[in-house]
Amino acid sequence: MGTHVLSMRIDGELLDRLRTHAAKRGMSVQDYVVRTLIRDDFDERFKAAVDETEKFYGLT
């Protein structure tokens, strides 16, 4: 898996909040954003798997 560049334009207030959250975790803003995106992606995939399991067992 290679790496790619993603450029985002965000306002100063949001960047300040991201910096604060990242600093609390000892991370760079870039690492914080990437981990947040990964976590969100995992949550969506996990929910889809749970939904499929419930459908399989007729729980929904």
Side-chain angles (χ1 to χ4, degrees):
M1 178 167 79
T3 61
H4 300 277
V5 174
L6 171 66
S7 177
M8 298 182 343
R9 186 180 302 264
I10 59 175
D11 69 6
E13 184 179 320
L14 177 57
L15 181 58
D16 289 341
R17 288 187 3 232
L18 289 171
R19 283 183 179 139
T20 300
H21 289 294
K24 286 179 184 177
R25 291 159 181 81
M27 304 168 74
S28 69
V29 172
Q30 178 180 342
D31 288 342
Y32 177 77
V33 170
V34 168
R35 286 184 185 250
T36 301
L37 291 170
I38 290 169
R39 183 181 65 232
D40 188 54
D41 180 58
F42 171 80
D43 290 347
E44 287 181 25
R45 288 183 288 130
F46 182 76
K47 182 182 180 327
V50 169
D51 291 346
E52 287 297 314
T53 301
E54 288 178 347
K55 276 196 272 184
F56 179 77
Y57 287 106
L59 301 174
T60 58

